[in-house]
Each structure stands twice: as structure tokens, then as C-alpha cells.
Amino acid sequence: MIEVLPKTLAYKLARSTGWPKLLPINFTVSVSYNCNSRCKTCNVWKKKTNDLTFEEWEKVFKKIGKGPVWFTFSGGEPFLRPDLEKVVISAYKYCAPQIINIPTNGILWNVIPKKAEFIAKNCPNSEVVINLSLDQVGKKHEEIRRIPGNWDFSMKTWEGLKSAQKKCPNLTLGIHSVVSNFNVDDFQNVYKGLKKLKPNSYITEIAEERVELGTIGAGITPSYKKYSQAIDFLVGEMKKNKPRGVAKIAWAFRLQYYQLVKKWLKDKTDLPAGRQVIPCYAGWLSAQIAPDGDVWVCCIRAGKDVVGNLRKNDYDFKKVWFSKKANELRASIKNKECSCPLANAHYTNMLEHFPSLVKAGTTYLFK
């Protein structure tokens, strides 16, 4: 993300004045809501959509063109889509992102490593990050995911990914945990157990009640006190194991991100919707595309806040992104009419927030 720093002034100007018209640098592409997990923290598998075909995605990426830095291909379970590798490679061909991130539940152990290796080999100038989603260890993980055998399948996937990584220098393997009311009390053991797998990175995100996930009213978000205890432990462990080189930049931003989540959660104790702890640039720096081609400024503003549909606009993202509806939603975000701790958005938001940038830079240089 450091390469984006020279462009931050242009995005700041765009947020303040509406000019210049810029495309996002951070895209989340949901390729399908189909999922073979039944997580207690997510009901996205219940949603049914008429997914864009590969040919339709190719039209979308071709019209977006070069410029995006970061693509996340999510779901559902993205590897359930038979042509996932074709979709990802098409985005690489037309958009040339520096980072391609694909989260997975790891159940398809006989599919995921092969496709991950194929994607990495065919996207040689991108860092391809496969994040295995694990919320607990062993049978306790299966209690949260509600799929018998999930842990063993995930371990087979991990072994396969480790083998693929030996052949692909641009393949990075991470583990991702959702911190929820189902694991927050046992988080120290979760962390210690998952670190034994020796991932290149370990990241967490707080469980949220979201329209996109069908979790409104589900009571999955931990309290400020419990989350703080878990994340303070994680931060302490992270500071003991400082990475080197480029990885240390992501490490520094992640440390700062966890503090922002704590602030948001503390505010949410008094304000049901919380408050934006730093100015949000979703709708400028980041965007999300749903499986059926609906465009959102972010997944928190899903549901009724659809910017437009790509199928109805000749697959032209620019036409949708610079529409009257998009401008209305950007104004709403700028007026702080929503708030969230969404990691994908906050990593880019921090690039535009000078105090956060200074803290991350100081951490990188001196800690």
C-alpha cells in the first residue's frame, strides 16, 4: 500500500470537493454466496443470487482497467466456484493488482491447493494471499462452523498449500480468525494453537452484525471488555515476533487497526451505531461488487444502499461508480451516518488519516 501514498492527496481532494473522479484502489469481489460452512457468525449461505458468469466478470475487469492495488475475492466460499481461477486471472490480466487475497474455509482440501498454485503461477507479479479461516482449534472449531470434519479438511488443505508455496514464491499463506462471543473467552488458546501451524501472517477481525451476512440481531459481537482482553494479548504477542522487510509494514498497520477497533467498540457501548473513529473513505478508496453485479460503497451499506447493477449498465463500473446514487452514498459516509470496524476498508482509511499513518510509521521504524 505504500505505493499509494503519493495519490492520497488526490483522494482527499476527491472526498472534500468531488473532484477528481477516481476509481477505488481496493476492490472486494464476492464471486458467489454459495458456502459449505454453516458458521454461527455468518448466514450468507442462505442468500441466493444469479451470479455473474466468467464472461461477465471479464467485461467488468476489462472496463475497470489498470489501477486497483488490492483485490479480495470472497464469498461464501470462493473455491466452490468452478471457474474461480479464471475469474481471478482475468482480474490480474486487465487490472494488474499488486495484492490478490482469497479467504477460504479450507473444506475443499482436494481443490484449494491446486487452484491456489495455478492462480499464483498465472499471476506472477501479484502477491497471492490465501487466508485460511480458522476460529478455534480441533473440534471446537467445528462447533463454531457446524460442519463435522471441518478441522481435518482444513489441515489437509494447509498441508497442500504449504507444498504449493514451495513452488510459488509469490504465494503467501495466512490464517484468519473471527473474534466472536463463541471464542473470545478462549482466545489465548486459540492463538497459541493456530500459531503452531506457522502461517506467514495471523490476522483477526471482530464478528459484526451485518445485513450482508444476515446476522442483524444475532448477538455475535463481543463486549469491549472481552475483546480488549483478547486483542491486547494478541498485540503483546505480535510485538514479540516482529517481521522484517515489507511484511513489517503490514504488521505496523495491523497493530494500529486493532486499536481503532477497540475505540469503535468502546463508543458502541454508548452509541448503538458506534461512530467513525477515523474518517471513512469507503466509496472513494474501496468498493465491493456482489455476485449478481450489484455495486456497494462497502458491505456495511449493503441491502437498500445499492449504487447500481453492472448488468444493467453494460458492465461499466465507472458508469455506476460516478452516478448520482453513488454521490449520495458518499455524502452519507462523509457525514458520518454510519460506522464500522471493517478491516478491508480501515487499512485503506489509515492511509488518509495522518495520525494513524504517523503511528503506524513510528511503530514500523522504532518498535
Side-chain angles (χ1 to χ4, degrees), residues 129-132 134 158 162 165 171-177 190-203 241 243 254:
V129 183
I130 306 296
N131 272 320
L132 182 60
L134 298 172
W158 191 248
K162 285 285 191 179
Q165 190 177 41
L171 182 59
T172 299
L173 304 180
I175 291 177
H176 172 276
S177 296
V190 174
Y191 171 82
K192 292 174 183 177
L194 296 181
K195 283 295 286 183
K196 291 178 181 178
L197 298 176
K198 298 181 179 180
N200 298 127
S201 65
Y202 176 74
I203 60 176
N241 301 284
R254 198 169 296 126

PDB file of all heavy atoms in Angstrom, residues 129-132 134 158 162 165 171-177 190-203 241 243 254:
ATOM      1  N   VAL A 129      -2.407 -14.029  -1.695  1.00  0.00           N
ATOM      2  CA  VAL A 129      -2.560 -14.356  -0.275  1.00  0.00           C
ATOM      3  C   VAL A 129      -3.770 -15.267  -0.105  1.00  0.00           C
ATOM      4  O   VAL A 129      -4.892 -14.887  -0.446  1.00  0.00           O
ATOM      5  CB  VAL A 129      -2.741 -13.087   0.578  1.00  0.00           C
ATOM      6  CG1 VAL A 129      -2.828 -13.454   2.057  1.00  0.00           C
ATOM      7  CG2 VAL A 129      -1.616 -12.095   0.323  1.00  0.00           C
ATOM      8  N   ILE A 130      -3.543 -16.464   0.388  1.00  0.00           N
ATOM      9  CA  ILE A 130      -4.643 -17.370   0.734  1.00  0.00           C
ATOM     10  C   ILE A 130      -4.782 -17.342   2.251  1.00  0.00           C
ATOM     11  O   ILE A 130      -3.855 -17.732   2.977  1.00  0.00           O
ATOM     12  CB  ILE A 130      -4.374 -18.810   0.254  1.00  0.00           C
ATOM     13  CG1 ILE A 130      -4.066 -18.837  -1.242  1.00  0.00           C
ATOM     14  CG2 ILE A 130      -5.582 -19.693   0.578  1.00  0.00           C
ATOM     15  CD1 ILE A 130      -5.198 -18.402  -2.140  1.00  0.00           C
ATOM     16  N   ASN A 131      -5.917 -16.869   2.735  1.00  0.00           N
ATOM     17  CA  ASN A 131      -6.169 -16.798   4.173  1.00  0.00           C
ATOM     18  C   ASN A 131      -7.120 -17.916   4.585  1.00  0.00           C
ATOM     19  O   ASN A 131      -8.295 -17.918   4.219  1.00  0.00           O
ATOM     20  CB  ASN A 131      -6.779 -15.442   4.549  1.00  0.00           C
ATOM     21  CG  ASN A 131      -5.712 -14.403   4.847  1.00  0.00           C
ATOM     22  OD1 ASN A 131      -4.703 -14.713   5.470  1.00  0.00           O
ATOM     23  ND2 ASN A 131      -5.926 -13.177   4.396  1.00  0.00           N
ATOM     24  N   LEU A 132      -6.591 -18.876   5.331  1.00  0.00           N
ATOM     25  CA  LEU A 132      -7.406 -19.970   5.845  1.00  0.00           C
ATOM     26  C   LEU A 132      -8.155 -19.482   7.077  1.00  0.00           C
ATOM     27  O   LEU A 132      -7.553 -18.997   8.035  1.00  0.00           O
ATOM     28  CB  LEU A 132      -6.515 -21.168   6.195  1.00  0.00           C
ATOM     29  CG  LEU A 132      -7.224 -22.424   6.709  1.00  0.00           C
ATOM     30  CD1 LEU A 132      -8.209 -22.963   5.686  1.00  0.00           C
ATOM     31  CD2 LEU A 132      -6.182 -23.489   7.074  1.00  0.00           C
ATOM     32  N   LEU A 134      -9.909 -19.894  10.364  1.00  0.00           N
ATOM     33  CA  LEU A 134      -9.998 -20.819  11.499  1.00  0.00           C
ATOM     34  C   LEU A 134     -10.338 -20.023  12.753  1.00  0.00           C
ATOM     35  O   LEU A 134      -9.607 -19.104  13.113  1.00  0.00           O
ATOM     36  CB  LEU A 134      -8.676 -21.561  11.694  1.00  0.00           C
ATOM     37  CG  LEU A 134      -8.202 -22.452  10.532  1.00  0.00           C
ATOM     38  CD1 LEU A 134      -6.787 -22.951  10.793  1.00  0.00           C
ATOM     39  CD2 LEU A 134      -9.153 -23.614  10.320  1.00  0.00           C
ATOM     40  N   TRP A 158      -4.169 -27.085   4.415  1.00  0.00           N
ATOM     41  CA  TRP A 158      -2.978 -26.357   4.848  1.00  0.00           C
ATOM     42  C   TRP A 158      -1.707 -27.073   4.394  1.00  0.00           C
ATOM     43  O   TRP A 158      -0.759 -26.443   3.913  1.00  0.00           O
ATOM     44  CB  TRP A 158      -2.998 -26.191   6.363  1.00  0.00           C
ATOM     45  CG  TRP A 158      -1.966 -25.245   6.895  1.00  0.00           C
ATOM     46  CD1 TRP A 158      -0.878 -25.553   7.658  1.00  0.00           C
ATOM     47  CD2 TRP A 158      -1.905 -23.827   6.701  1.00  0.00           C
ATOM     48  NE1 TRP A 158      -0.157 -24.433   7.962  1.00  0.00           N
ATOM     49  CE2 TRP A 158      -0.778 -23.340   7.391  1.00  0.00           C
ATOM     50  CE3 TRP A 158      -2.716 -22.917   6.029  1.00  0.00           C
ATOM     51  CZ2 TRP A 158      -0.416 -22.006   7.415  1.00  0.00           C
ATOM     52  CZ3 TRP A 158      -2.367 -21.568   6.054  1.00  0.00           C
ATOM     53  CH2 TRP A 158      -1.238 -21.127   6.729  1.00  0.00           C
ATOM     54  N   LYS A 162       1.026 -25.534   1.816  1.00  0.00           N
ATOM     55  CA  LYS A 162       2.445 -25.445   2.156  1.00  0.00           C
ATOM     56  C   LYS A 162       3.305 -26.036   1.037  1.00  0.00           C
ATOM     57  O   LYS A 162       4.375 -25.495   0.700  1.00  0.00           O
ATOM     58  CB  LYS A 162       2.711 -26.190   3.473  1.00  0.00           C
ATOM     59  CG  LYS A 162       2.243 -25.455   4.730  1.00  0.00           C
ATOM     60  CD  LYS A 162       3.176 -24.310   5.075  1.00  0.00           C
ATOM     61  CE  LYS A 162       2.890 -23.746   6.447  1.00  0.00           C
ATOM     62  NZ  LYS A 162       3.806 -22.650   6.809  1.00  0.00           N
ATOM     63  N   GLN A 165       3.294 -23.625  -1.878  1.00  0.00           N
ATOM     64  CA  GLN A 165       4.094 -22.434  -1.610  1.00  0.00           C
ATOM     65  C   GLN A 165       5.557 -22.639  -1.979  1.00  0.00           C
ATOM     66  O   GLN A 165       6.248 -21.698  -2.390  1.00  0.00           O
ATOM     67  CB  GLN A 165       3.971 -22.044  -0.140  1.00  0.00           C
ATOM     68  CG  GLN A 165       4.567 -20.694   0.190  1.00  0.00           C
ATOM     69  CD  GLN A 165       4.363 -20.321   1.642  1.00  0.00           C
ATOM     70  OE1 GLN A 165       4.491 -21.154   2.542  1.00  0.00           O
ATOM     71  NE2 GLN A 165       4.021 -19.060   1.889  1.00  0.00           N
ATOM     72  N   LEU A 171       3.321 -16.778  -3.359  1.00  0.00           N
ATOM     73  CA  LEU A 171       2.176 -17.302  -2.612  1.00  0.00           C
ATOM     74  C   LEU A 171       2.409 -17.125  -1.116  1.00  0.00           C
ATOM     75  O   LEU A 171       3.385 -17.638  -0.559  1.00  0.00           O
ATOM     76  CB  LEU A 171       1.956 -18.774  -2.937  1.00  0.00           C
ATOM     77  CG  LEU A 171       0.762 -19.474  -2.266  1.00  0.00           C
ATOM     78  CD1 LEU A 171      -0.547 -18.786  -2.619  1.00  0.00           C
ATOM     79  CD2 LEU A 171       0.708 -20.951  -2.651  1.00  0.00           C
ATOM     80  N   THR A 172       1.530 -16.362  -0.466  1.00  0.00           N
ATOM     81  CA  THR A 172       1.603 -16.107   0.974  1.00  0.00           C
ATOM     82  C   THR A 172       0.437 -16.803   1.662  1.00  0.00           C
ATOM     83  O   THR A 172      -0.694 -16.737   1.190  1.00  0.00           O
ATOM     84  CB  THR A 172       1.544 -14.597   1.259  1.00  0.00           C
ATOM     85  OG1 THR A 172       2.666 -13.956   0.643  1.00  0.00           O
ATOM     86  CG2 THR A 172       1.564 -14.311   2.744  1.00  0.00           C
ATOM     87  N   LEU A 173       0.720 -17.470   2.783  1.00  0.00           N
ATOM     88  CA  LEU A 173      -0.302 -18.224   3.492  1.00  0.00           C
ATOM     89  C   LEU A 173      -0.589 -17.600   4.859  1.00  0.00           C
ATOM     90  O   LEU A 173       0.319 -17.459   5.686  1.00  0.00           O
ATOM     91  CB  LEU A 173       0.133 -19.677   3.668  1.00  0.00           C
ATOM     92  CG  LEU A 173       0.498 -20.428   2.380  1.00  0.00           C
ATOM     93  CD1 LEU A 173       0.907 -21.859   2.691  1.00  0.00           C
ATOM     94  CD2 LEU A 173      -0.665 -20.399   1.396  1.00  0.00           C
ATOM     95  N   GLY A 174      -1.833 -17.220   5.066  1.00  0.00           N
ATOM     96  CA  GLY A 174      -2.228 -16.618   6.329  1.00  0.00           C
ATOM     97  C   GLY A 174      -3.343 -17.395   6.993  1.00  0.00           C
ATOM     98  O   GLY A 174      -3.992 -18.250   6.377  1.00  0.00           O
ATOM     99  N   ILE A 175      -3.555 -17.113   8.252  1.00  0.00           N
ATOM    100  CA  ILE A 175      -4.701 -17.652   8.998  1.00  0.00           C
ATOM    101  C   ILE A 175      -5.502 -16.479   9.524  1.00  0.00           C
ATOM    102  O   ILE A 175      -4.941 -15.494  10.018  1.00  0.00           O
ATOM    103  CB  ILE A 175      -4.243 -18.575  10.142  1.00  0.00           C
ATOM    104  CG1 ILE A 175      -3.637 -19.865   9.556  1.00  0.00           C
ATOM    105  CG2 ILE A 175      -5.409 -18.919  11.070  1.00  0.00           C
ATOM    106  CD1 ILE A 175      -3.092 -20.813  10.601  1.00  0.00           C
ATOM    107  N   HIS A 176      -6.804 -16.574   9.390  1.00  0.00           N
ATOM    108  CA  HIS A 176      -7.718 -15.501   9.763  1.00  0.00           C
ATOM    109  C   HIS A 176      -8.735 -16.037  10.762  1.00  0.00           C
ATOM    110  O   HIS A 176      -9.323 -17.102  10.547  1.00  0.00           O
ATOM    111  CB  HIS A 176      -8.427 -14.988   8.507  1.00  0.00           C
ATOM    112  CG  HIS A 176      -9.537 -14.015   8.777  1.00  0.00           C
ATOM    113  ND1 HIS A 176     -10.817 -14.427   9.106  1.00  0.00           N
ATOM    114  CD2 HIS A 176      -9.565 -12.663   8.769  1.00  0.00           C
ATOM    115  CE1 HIS A 176     -11.574 -13.362   9.272  1.00  0.00           C
ATOM    116  NE2 HIS A 176     -10.842 -12.285   9.083  1.00  0.00           N
ATOM    117  N   SER A 177      -8.919 -15.314  11.867  1.00  0.00           N
ATOM    118  CA  SER A 177      -9.919 -15.696  12.869  1.00  0.00           C
ATOM    119  C   SER A 177     -10.930 -14.582  13.063  1.00  0.00           C
ATOM    120  O   SER A 177     -10.561 -13.406  13.133  1.00  0.00           O
ATOM    121  CB  SER A 177      -9.256 -15.999  14.221  1.00  0.00           C
ATOM    122  OG  SER A 177      -8.404 -17.118  14.142  1.00  0.00           O
ATOM    123  N   VAL A 190      -6.748 -20.217  21.456  1.00  0.00           N
ATOM    124  CA  VAL A 190      -6.961 -20.210  20.007  1.00  0.00           C
ATOM    125  C   VAL A 190      -5.689 -19.747  19.305  1.00  0.00           C
ATOM    126  O   VAL A 190      -5.195 -20.392  18.378  1.00  0.00           O
ATOM    127  CB  VAL A 190      -8.149 -19.296  19.622  1.00  0.00           C
ATOM    128  CG1 VAL A 190      -8.262 -19.181  18.103  1.00  0.00           C
ATOM    129  CG2 VAL A 190      -9.453 -19.819  20.212  1.00  0.00           C
ATOM    130  N   TYR A 191      -5.160 -18.631  19.754  1.00  0.00           N
ATOM    131  CA  TYR A 191      -3.954 -18.064  19.141  1.00  0.00           C
ATOM    132  C   TYR A 191      -2.775 -19.039  19.240  1.00  0.00           C
ATOM    133  O   TYR A 191      -2.092 -19.315  18.239  1.00  0.00           O
ATOM    134  CB  TYR A 191      -3.595 -16.747  19.825  1.00  0.00           C
ATOM    135  CG  TYR A 191      -2.248 -16.190  19.399  1.00  0.00           C
ATOM    136  CD1 TYR A 191      -2.129 -15.463  18.214  1.00  0.00           C
ATOM    137  CD2 TYR A 191      -1.101 -16.415  20.163  1.00  0.00           C
ATOM    138  CE1 TYR A 191      -0.889 -14.972  17.810  1.00  0.00           C
ATOM    139  CE2 TYR A 191       0.130 -15.925  19.764  1.00  0.00           C
ATOM    140  CZ  TYR A 191       0.231 -15.211  18.592  1.00  0.00           C
ATOM    141  OH  TYR A 191       1.453 -14.737  18.185  1.00  0.00           O
ATOM    142  N   LYS A 192      -2.543 -19.566  20.433  1.00  0.00           N
ATOM    143  CA  LYS A 192      -1.402 -20.458  20.635  1.00  0.00           C
ATOM    144  C   LYS A 192      -1.527 -21.718  19.779  1.00  0.00           C
ATOM    145  O   LYS A 192      -0.537 -22.208  19.223  1.00  0.00           O
ATOM    146  CB  LYS A 192      -1.283 -20.819  22.114  1.00  0.00           C
ATOM    147  CG  LYS A 192      -0.878 -19.647  22.996  1.00  0.00           C
ATOM    148  CD  LYS A 192      -0.917 -20.020  24.472  1.00  0.00           C
ATOM    149  CE  LYS A 192      -0.568 -18.815  25.352  1.00  0.00           C
ATOM    150  NZ  LYS A 192      -0.679 -19.131  26.804  1.00  0.00           N
ATOM    151  N   GLY A 193      -2.756 -22.226  19.656  1.00  0.00           N
ATOM    152  CA  GLY A 193      -2.969 -23.423  18.855  1.00  0.00           C
ATOM    153  C   GLY A 193      -2.764 -23.174  17.374  1.00  0.00           C
ATOM    154  O   GLY A 193      -2.132 -23.981  16.674  1.00  0.00           O
ATOM    155  N   LEU A 194      -3.255 -22.039  16.872  1.00  0.00           N
ATOM    156  CA  LEU A 194      -3.152 -21.752  15.443  1.00  0.00           C
ATOM    157  C   LEU A 194      -1.752 -21.322  15.039  1.00  0.00           C
ATOM    158  O   LEU A 194      -1.320 -21.583  13.912  1.00  0.00           O
ATOM    159  CB  LEU A 194      -4.176 -20.674  15.057  1.00  0.00           C
ATOM    160  CG  LEU A 194      -5.650 -21.075  15.238  1.00  0.00           C
ATOM    161  CD1 LEU A 194      -6.566 -19.937  14.809  1.00  0.00           C
ATOM    162  CD2 LEU A 194      -5.981 -22.345  14.460  1.00  0.00           C
ATOM    163  N   LYS A 195      -1.027 -20.684  15.947  1.00  0.00           N
ATOM    164  CA  LYS A 195       0.342 -20.266  15.618  1.00  0.00           C
ATOM    165  C   LYS A 195       1.266 -21.475  15.398  1.00  0.00           C
ATOM    166  O   LYS A 195       2.290 -21.359  14.730  1.00  0.00           O
ATOM    167  CB  LYS A 195       0.907 -19.376  16.724  1.00  0.00           C
ATOM    168  CG  LYS A 195       0.374 -17.958  16.692  1.00  0.00           C
ATOM    169  CD  LYS A 195       0.803 -17.205  15.439  1.00  0.00           C
ATOM    170  CE  LYS A 195       2.257 -16.807  15.468  1.00  0.00           C
ATOM    171  NZ  LYS A 195       2.661 -16.006  14.283  1.00  0.00           N
ATOM    172  N   LYS A 196       0.887 -22.629  15.925  1.00  0.00           N
ATOM    173  CA  LYS A 196       1.691 -23.837  15.719  1.00  0.00           C
ATOM    174  C   LYS A 196       1.716 -24.239  14.247  1.00  0.00           C
ATOM    175  O   LYS A 196       2.599 -24.981  13.815  1.00  0.00           O
ATOM    176  CB  LYS A 196       1.142 -24.982  16.569  1.00  0.00           C
ATOM    177  CG  LYS A 196       1.336 -24.797  18.066  1.00  0.00           C
ATOM    178  CD  LYS A 196       0.731 -25.954  18.849  1.00  0.00           C
ATOM    179  CE  LYS A 196       0.901 -25.745  20.350  1.00  0.00           C
ATOM    180  NZ  LYS A 196       0.270 -26.849  21.132  1.00  0.00           N
ATOM    181  N   LEU A 197       0.744 -23.752  13.480  1.00  0.00           N
ATOM    182  CA  LEU A 197       0.699 -24.050  12.047  1.00  0.00           C
ATOM    183  C   LEU A 197       1.702 -23.212  11.259  1.00  0.00           C
ATOM    184  O   LEU A 197       1.886 -23.423  10.060  1.00  0.00           O
ATOM    185  CB  LEU A 197      -0.717 -23.807  11.512  1.00  0.00           C
ATOM    186  CG  LEU A 197      -1.815 -24.685  12.133  1.00  0.00           C
ATOM    187  CD1 LEU A 197      -3.189 -24.281  11.596  1.00  0.00           C
ATOM    188  CD2 LEU A 197      -1.553 -26.153  11.840  1.00  0.00           C
ATOM    189  N   LYS A 198       2.321 -22.242  11.917  1.00  0.00           N
ATOM    190  CA  LYS A 198       3.367 -21.385  11.336  1.00  0.00           C
ATOM    191  C   LYS A 198       2.912 -20.669  10.062  1.00  0.00           C
ATOM    192  O   LYS A 198       3.535 -20.787   8.989  1.00  0.00           O
ATOM    193  CB  LYS A 198       4.626 -22.209  11.063  1.00  0.00           C
ATOM    194  CG  LYS A 198       5.235 -22.811  12.327  1.00  0.00           C
ATOM    195  CD  LYS A 198       6.496 -23.606  12.021  1.00  0.00           C
ATOM    196  CE  LYS A 198       7.090 -24.171  13.306  1.00  0.00           C
ATOM    197  NZ  LYS A 198       8.331 -24.970  13.056  1.00  0.00           N
ATOM    198  N   PRO A 199       1.837 -19.899  10.147  1.00  0.00           N
ATOM    199  CA  PRO A 199       1.410 -19.113   8.980  1.00  0.00           C
ATOM    200  C   PRO A 199       2.351 -17.941   8.739  1.00  0.00           C
ATOM    201  O   PRO A 199       3.053 -17.500   9.652  1.00  0.00           O
ATOM    202  CB  PRO A 199       0.020 -18.614   9.397  1.00  0.00           C
ATOM    203  CG  PRO A 199       0.108 -18.506  10.893  1.00  0.00           C
ATOM    204  CD  PRO A 199       0.980 -19.663  11.321  1.00  0.00           C
ATOM    205  N   ASN A 200       2.348 -17.426   7.521  1.00  0.00           N
ATOM    206  CA  ASN A 200       3.131 -16.217   7.231  1.00  0.00           C
ATOM    207  C   ASN A 200       2.549 -15.015   7.952  1.00  0.00           C
ATOM    208  O   ASN A 200       3.266 -14.059   8.271  1.00  0.00           O
ATOM    209  CB  ASN A 200       3.157 -15.943   5.731  1.00  0.00           C
ATOM    210  CG  ASN A 200       3.811 -17.057   4.950  1.00  0.00           C
ATOM    211  OD1 ASN A 200       3.243 -17.584   4.009  1.00  0.00           O
ATOM    212  ND2 ASN A 200       5.014 -17.464   5.336  1.00  0.00           N
ATOM    213  N   SER A 201       1.239 -15.045   8.165  1.00  0.00           N
ATOM    214  CA  SER A 201       0.586 -13.961   8.899  1.00  0.00           C
ATOM    215  C   SER A 201      -0.619 -14.523   9.647  1.00  0.00           C
ATOM    216  O   SER A 201      -1.204 -15.531   9.235  1.00  0.00           O
ATOM    217  CB  SER A 201       0.126 -12.851   7.949  1.00  0.00           C
ATOM    218  OG  SER A 201      -0.887 -13.332   7.072  1.00  0.00           O
ATOM    219  N   TYR A 202      -0.942 -13.886  10.758  1.00  0.00           N
ATOM    220  CA  TYR A 202      -2.143 -14.246  11.513  1.00  0.00           C
ATOM    221  C   TYR A 202      -2.923 -12.963  11.757  1.00  0.00           C
ATOM    222  O   TYR A 202      -2.395 -12.004  12.333  1.00  0.00           O
ATOM    223  CB  TYR A 202      -1.797 -14.909  12.848  1.00  0.00           C
ATOM    224  CG  TYR A 202      -3.037 -15.202  13.671  1.00  0.00           C
ATOM    225  CD1 TYR A 202      -3.883 -16.252  13.316  1.00  0.00           C
ATOM    226  CD2 TYR A 202      -3.377 -14.423  14.772  1.00  0.00           C
ATOM    227  CE1 TYR A 202      -5.036 -16.511  14.040  1.00  0.00           C
ATOM    228  CE2 TYR A 202      -4.521 -14.675  15.504  1.00  0.00           C
ATOM    229  CZ  TYR A 202      -5.356 -15.728  15.142  1.00  0.00           C
ATOM    230  OH  TYR A 202      -6.504 -15.978  15.853  1.00  0.00           O
ATOM    231  N   ILE A 203      -4.169 -12.930  11.307  1.00  0.00           N
ATOM    232  CA  ILE A 203      -4.988 -11.729  11.448  1.00  0.00           C
ATOM    233  C   ILE A 203      -6.333 -12.086  12.043  1.00  0.00           C
ATOM    234  O   ILE A 203      -6.790 -13.238  11.957  1.00  0.00           O
ATOM    235  CB  ILE A 203      -5.196 -11.026  10.082  1.00  0.00           C
ATOM    236  CG1 ILE A 203      -5.896 -11.960   9.091  1.00  0.00           C
ATOM    237  CG2 ILE A 203      -3.867 -10.541   9.514  1.00  0.00           C
ATOM    238  CD1 ILE A 203      -6.224 -11.311   7.755  1.00  0.00           C
ATOM    239  N   ASN A 241       7.144 -10.869  18.141  1.00  0.00           N
ATOM    240  CA  ASN A 241       7.532 -11.539  16.896  1.00  0.00           C
ATOM    241  C   ASN A 241       7.457 -10.554  15.737  1.00  0.00           C
ATOM    242  O   ASN A 241       6.562 -10.625  14.894  1.00  0.00           O
ATOM    243  CB  ASN A 241       6.613 -12.731  16.641  1.00  0.00           C
ATOM    244  CG  ASN A 241       6.641 -13.749  17.758  1.00  0.00           C
ATOM    245  OD1 ASN A 241       7.578 -14.516  17.888  1.00  0.00           O
ATOM    246  ND2 ASN A 241       5.598 -13.757  18.585  1.00  0.00           N
ATOM    247  N   PRO A 243       8.137  -9.011  12.279  1.00  0.00           N
ATOM    248  CA  PRO A 243       8.622  -9.463  10.974  1.00  0.00           C
ATOM    249  C   PRO A 243       9.647  -8.486  10.411  1.00  0.00           C
ATOM    250  O   PRO A 243       9.891  -7.419  10.985  1.00  0.00           O
ATOM    251  CB  PRO A 243       7.351  -9.473  10.110  1.00  0.00           C
ATOM    252  CG  PRO A 243       6.485  -8.426  10.733  1.00  0.00           C
ATOM    253  CD  PRO A 243       6.780  -8.460  12.214  1.00  0.00           C
ATOM    254  N   ARG A 254      -1.476  -3.300  11.039  1.00  0.00           N
ATOM    255  CA  ARG A 254      -2.399  -4.187  11.748  1.00  0.00           C
ATOM    256  C   ARG A 254      -2.460  -3.836  13.231  1.00  0.00           C
ATOM    257  O   ARG A 254      -3.532  -3.842  13.838  1.00  0.00           O
ATOM    258  CB  ARG A 254      -1.951  -5.636  11.559  1.00  0.00           C
ATOM    259  CG  ARG A 254      -3.040  -6.644  11.859  1.00  0.00           C
ATOM    260  CD  ARG A 254      -2.629  -8.040  11.407  1.00  0.00           C
ATOM    261  NE  ARG A 254      -2.460  -8.077   9.971  1.00  0.00           N
ATOM    262  CZ  ARG A 254      -1.364  -8.507   9.347  1.00  0.00           C
ATOM    263  NH1 ARG A 254      -0.324  -8.905  10.053  1.00  0.00           N
ATOM    264  NH2 ARG A 254      -1.293  -8.510   8.045  1.00  0.00           N
TER     265      ARG A 254
END
